[in-house]
């Protein structure tokens, strides 16, 4: 098991001014960091990758489809083509960074709603897209990890059962699934039992408290979560995803309207201890 931390707590675009944060996360004991790829070029991420190599930090990636013009589920060929171009750009940047895992709600445009439940046609378009995307990922030595998110952010896949069923149809070795404690807390009848539902496809885990603040300061049952992950023979990344108010645009996008912790240091220091000790005890 590797412990990671998502840089979205501070920024949507990691630059040299954020490198002291990387150094502090390394001192804290983290094995790696999760880098948002929402803008930039492969050259930018190659430079960042060299800094991570210097620090001895491994890395994963978080990304998304930000606009309906590139929605993989869209009925128009222009949407499909734009989605493929966007995915190729994400993967090129990720490969330059040196990441082997690229995760997020990479199945549909985040925050877009059709006004209805997902259709059979959307599902088939998604499956075709992800088989192509899986081929692109395989060519770069990357695994795509799709994230089911809650009904207020997405209508396509909300639960671990939804995601597992979809991945079984995609049936591509480079397209896998993620378990996120925040989304599971909202959508699952039994968040702990849901780990078993996604276990055959599980390749990444996000630890996120029920209020998106410091892990262990809310009501998520992390002890039982870690036990369920061990019972599922999971041994990959466990990455903390938390959000704050340091960047107004990012705070608005993640619906953070109040301070959830006294300082970011609490989130990553207490969060690291929670995962390290919780995993040992599970």
């Amino acid at each position: 098991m590797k412990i990671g931390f998502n840089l979205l707590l501070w920024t949507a675009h990691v630059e040299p001014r954020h490198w002291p944060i990387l150094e502090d996360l390394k001192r804290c004991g983290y094995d790696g960091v999760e880098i948002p790829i929402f803008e930039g070029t492969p050259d930018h991420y190659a430079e960042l990758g060299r800094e991570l190599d210097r620090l001895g930090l491994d890395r994963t990636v978080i990304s998304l489809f930000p606009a309906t013009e590139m929605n993989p589920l869209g009925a128009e060929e222009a949407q499909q083509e734009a989605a493929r171009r966007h995915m190729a750009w994400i993967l090129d940047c990720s490969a330059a960074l040196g990441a082997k895992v690229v995760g997020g709600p990479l199945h549909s445009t985040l925050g877009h709603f059709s006004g209805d439940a997902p259709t059979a046609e959307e599902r088939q378009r998604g499956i075709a897209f992800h088989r192509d995307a899986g081929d692109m990922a395989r060519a770069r030595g990357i695994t795509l990890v799709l994230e089911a998110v809650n009904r207020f952010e997405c209508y396509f896949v909300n639960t671990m059962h939804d995601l597992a069923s979809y991945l079984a149809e995609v049936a591509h070795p480079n397209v896998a699934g993620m378990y996120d404690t925040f989304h599971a807390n909202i959508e699952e009848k039994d968040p702990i039992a849901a780990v078993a539902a996604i276990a055959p496809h599980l390749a990444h885990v996000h630890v996120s408290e029920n209020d998106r603040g410091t892990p262990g300061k809310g009501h998520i049952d992390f002890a039982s979560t870690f036990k369920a992950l061990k019972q599922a023979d999971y041994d990959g990344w466990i990455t903390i995803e938390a959000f704050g108010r340091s960047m107004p645009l990012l705070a608005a996008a993640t619906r953070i309207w109040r301070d959830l912790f006294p300082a970011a240091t609490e989130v990553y220091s207490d969060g690291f201890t929670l995962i390290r000790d919780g995993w040992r005890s599970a």
Side-chain angles (χ1 to χ4, degrees), residues 128-152:
F129 172 81
H130 285 111
R131 287 174 180 166
D132 288 345
D135 288 344
M136 288 190 281
R138 180 167 51 192
R140 295 163 175 84
I142 290 171
T143 297
L144 286 179
V145 183
L146 307 188
E147 180 180 15
V149 298
N150 69 78
R151 77 192 76 175
F152 307 107

Side-chain angles (χ1 to χ4, degrees), residues 83-98:
R84 286 190 287 269
R85 287 196 305 270
H86 188 68
M87 179 59 77
W89 168 78
I90 292 170
L91 292 169
D92 285 344
C93 291
S94 299
L97 180 68

